């Protein structure tokens, strides 16, 4: 059981029989009355967010969550298929769970799958990935200092803004949290 004193960002707790992750919290000590904690939670099953105020000392159950390393194999029209790297079992994941992160999937990419009661709820990608530029305007030698950017598309279909010196065929490192360019990879 977790108490309000155990709260931290990323902690997973059970609320009304469903698993939630704490996005933000604030302990409040009013001049009169008891202490309480305001929390912002995200449902691991549905992705919806709620605000919850709890009294100090209230207890929450620990959800039955398991993490597995998965390797991307292939995609179909409505599912993505991953292989569990320990059991070699193939797992089908609905396209709604992957969402817009589908543009980060490359062959054999290892991700972390979050399972609740043996059902996958989300996928966590590495913090950065290396992708290849498939389409962009030709680069200009010497344009490495300015903050000017141009549109580009990667081999996985991700559209993003890159510096002017990036050419078609270049490998770039991107941030998977917001899909932005970090640096060119040699």
């Amino acid at each position: 059981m977790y108490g309000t004193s155990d709260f931290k960002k990323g902690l997973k707790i059970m609320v009304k029989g469903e698993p939630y992750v704490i996005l933000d919290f604030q302990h409040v000590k009013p001049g009169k009355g008891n202490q309480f904690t305001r929390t912002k939670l995200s449902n691991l099953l549905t992705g919806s967010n709620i605000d919850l105020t709890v009294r100090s000392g209230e207890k929450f159950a620990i959800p039955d969550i398991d993490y597995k390393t998965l390797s991307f194999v292939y995609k179909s029209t409505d599912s993505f298929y991953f292989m569990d790297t320990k059991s070699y079992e193939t797992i089908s994941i609905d396209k709604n769970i992957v969402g817009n992160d589908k543009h980060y999937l490359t062959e054999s990419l290892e991700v972390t799958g979050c399972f609740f009661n043996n059902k996958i709820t989300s996928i966590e990608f590495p913090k950065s990935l290396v992708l290849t530029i498939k389409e962009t305007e030709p680069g200009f030698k010497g344009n490495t200092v300015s903050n000017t950017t141009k549109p580009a598309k990667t081999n996985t279909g991700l559209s993003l803004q890159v510096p002017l010196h990036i050419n078609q065929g270049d490998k770039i490192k991107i941030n998977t949290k917001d899909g932005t360019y970090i640096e060119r990879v040699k």
Side-chain angles (χ1 to χ4, degrees), residues 69-72 85 106-112 124-126 129:
T69 303
L70 306 173
S71 178
F72 178 64
T85 58
T106 58
E107 187 176 328
S108 301
L109 174 70
E110 288 195 352
V111 297
T112 303
E124 295 174 8
F125 286 84
L129 290 174

Side-chain angles (χ1 to χ4, degrees), residues 99-118:
N100 289 334
D101 293 339
K102 67 184 177 191
H103 296 299
Y104 301 143
L105 292 173
T106 58
E107 187 176 328
S108 301
L109 174 70
E110 288 195 352
V111 297
T112 303
C114 179
F115 291 81
F116 174 69
N117 291 339
N118 294 323

Side-chain angles (χ1 to χ4, degrees), residues 81-107:
Y81 294 87
F82 292 82
M83 180 183 67
D84 185 331
T85 58
K86 287 195 173 130
S87 69
Y88 301 109
E89 172 189 359
T90 301
I91 299 168
S92 171
I93 300 176
D94 188 77
K95 65 181 181 181
N96 295 329
I97 292 174
V98 177
N100 289 334
D101 293 339
K102 67 184 177 191
H103 296 299
Y104 301 143
L105 292 173
T106 58
E107 187 176 328

Side-chain angles (χ1 to χ4, degrees), residues 8 11 21 27-28 32 34 55 73 79 81 85 91 93 127 138 164 175 181:
K8 60 184 176 184
L11 182 72
V21 62
H27 292 293
V28 180
K32 291 184 177 179
N34 295 328
R55 290 177 300 206
V73 182
S79 295
Y81 294 87
T85 58
I91 299 168
I93 300 176
K127 291 184 182 185
L164 294 176
N175 181 345
Y181 168 87

Side-chain angles (χ1 to χ4, degrees), residues 140-148 163-166 181 184 186:
F140 299 105
K141 197 170 190 174
N143 278 339
T144 58
V145 178
S146 70
N147 287 335
T148 311
L164 294 176
H165 67 276
I166 300 295
Y181 168 87
R184 181 166 60 179
K186 302 269 183 198

Side-chain angles (χ1 to χ4, degrees), residues 2-7 26-30 33-39 52-60:
Y2 289 122
T4 54
S5 60
D6 298 320
F7 281 10
Q26 177 185 15
H27 292 293
V28 180
K29 300 177 185 176
N34 295 328
Q35 298 179 18
F36 59 92
T37 304
R38 287 189 188 111
T39 59
L52 183 68
T53 302
V54 294
R55 290 177 300 206
S56 183
E58 201 168 326
K59 301 284 186 192
F60 295 90

